[in-house]
Amino acid sequence: MKSPVKISKYKRKVVSVILTAFAGGIALLFVMPMIITVVNSLMEEREIQSNYGVLFSETTGGLAMGNVNLKLIPDWVSLQQYFTVLLKSPDYLFKLWNSLFLVLPIVVFQLVVGCMAAYGFANTKGKAMAIVFFSYIVLMLMPYQVTLVPNYFVAKWMNLLDTNWAIWFPGIFSPFSVYLLTKYMRRIPWGIVEAAQMDGAGQWQIFCRVIIPICKGAIASCAILVFIDYWNMVEQPVVLFSNADFYPLSVFLSKIQMEDIGIAFAAAVVYMIPVTLIFLYGEEYLIDGIASQGSIK
């Protein structure tokens, strides 16, 4: 007769295997669109049309219905789609540079503004400051679509339409980083700041040499989240840019014609590379910045 201890260990192993298999299945479902996109980008155009063409063929009543042949292994690996995207047609790379040129300044300067504003909120007490910080929270809770029309009229009044500043200004002064960094800085033991003040450090020295090194995890997580958010923006460029030459790749992908669906898969893979690399490289910082409670070891 088996002992209760062995039965308990056996049950734990069975439960662990079941939960691991369940979690693996959920993870596979989440990454399946990326896998399908990468696989289809390596297929020839005629193979894509034969497998998925029924989804993109239009009839009088709308999209045609039929069977879709979902394949995870192409019959013949082809890099023709990537050749077109990266070399033959410069439009895709040009839109990719548009995306980088729009997003990177927002990430850098939003963190600069956010760090300084968060330090002020964390270092200053009072009802007036609490009201201002509450206003930041309210602004953060509003979807960007709510403030898009006011941003349009402000940009028009400042004569910034069809310029990158129409995207940069709202992004740089977005309240997201201010809120996240303020909550992080308020958990820092303020005795560290007082000790630095006793050593003769000024506010700027405390900010640069004490606060910023402690908050590097939160700053990195903010950078990752802000980059991903603005990398996928669509509404802002469509509303604030009337010239399609200024569109980022996120907008340009939606305008690819149905007959170029193979190129769309390749362009989508190229579009996913920066976000994927940033997430994989900064995953540790992202988890640390969100999960940490600002404790000092």
Side-chain angles (χ1 to χ4, degrees), residues 207-265:
F207 175 74
C208 294
R209 299 184 180 181
V210 178
I211 300 299
I212 295 300
I214 293 175
C215 297
K216 62 181 181 181
I219 293 172
S221 63
C222 279
I224 295 170
L225 294 174
V226 171
F227 182 89
I228 293 175
D229 184 25
Y230 284 92
W231 185 255
N232 297 320
M233 63 180 171
V234 174
E235 297 93 344
Q236 300 96 311
V238 171
V239 173
L240 299 174
F241 292 156
S242 60
N243 189 351
D245 292 338
F246 295 150
Y247 284 168
L249 190 57
S250 55
V251 177
F252 193 66
L253 282 176
S254 64
K255 298 183 178 298
I256 297 178
Q257 301 298 321
M258 294 301 182
E259 59 268 16
D260 296 327
I261 190 63
I263 295 176
F265 280 122

Side-chain angles (χ1 to χ4, degrees), residues 102-241:
L102 282 173
V103 175
L104 291 181
I106 292 177
V107 174
V108 173
F109 290 103
Q110 184 181 138
L111 290 178
V112 172
V113 173
C115 288
M116 293 182 177
Y119 181 67
F121 282 125
N123 197 26
T124 307
K125 307 296 181 181
K127 292 184 178 180
M129 189 62 67
I131 293 173
V132 175
F133 186 68
F134 179 76
S135 301
Y136 262 81
I137 298 176
V138 172
L139 288 174
M140 191 186 71
L141 293 176
M142 288 184 179
Y144 190 86
Q145 292 80 359
V146 174
T147 59
L148 187 57
V149 175
N151 285 338
Y152 173 83
F153 285 115
V154 171
K156 184 177 181 180
W157 176 70
M158 298 178 66
N159 200 25
L160 296 178
L161 292 178
D162 286 329
T163 67
N164 291 331
W165 292 104
I167 302 291
W168 285 342
F169 273 136
I172 290 172
F173 296 101
S174 173
F176 172 75
S177 296
V178 177
Y179 170 77
L180 192 63
L181 292 173
T182 299
K183 302 299 289 184
Y184 192 94
M185 289 182 185
R186 283 180 174 175
R187 297 188 179 100
I188 297 175
W190 217 245
I192 298 176
V193 177
E194 294 176 351
Q197 290 175 340
M198 292 179 64
D199 290 337
Q203 290 295 336
W204 183 252
Q205 291 176 315
I206 294 173
F207 175 74
C208 294
R209 299 184 180 181
V210 178
I211 300 299
I212 295 300
I214 293 175
C215 297
K216 62 181 181 181
I219 293 172
S221 63
C222 279
I224 295 170
L225 294 174
V226 171
F227 182 89
I228 293 175
D229 184 25
Y230 284 92
W231 185 255
N232 297 320
M233 63 180 171
V234 174
E235 297 93 344
Q236 300 96 311
V238 171
V239 173
L240 299 174
F241 292 156

Side-chain angles (χ1 to χ4, degrees), residues 43 46-54 67-69 71:
M43 291 182 182
R46 63 173 179 269
E47 185 177 358
I48 296 175
Q49 291 294 337
S50 64
N51 293 331
Y52 309 102
V54 67
N67 295 325
V68 175
N69 184 20
K71 297 178 63 176

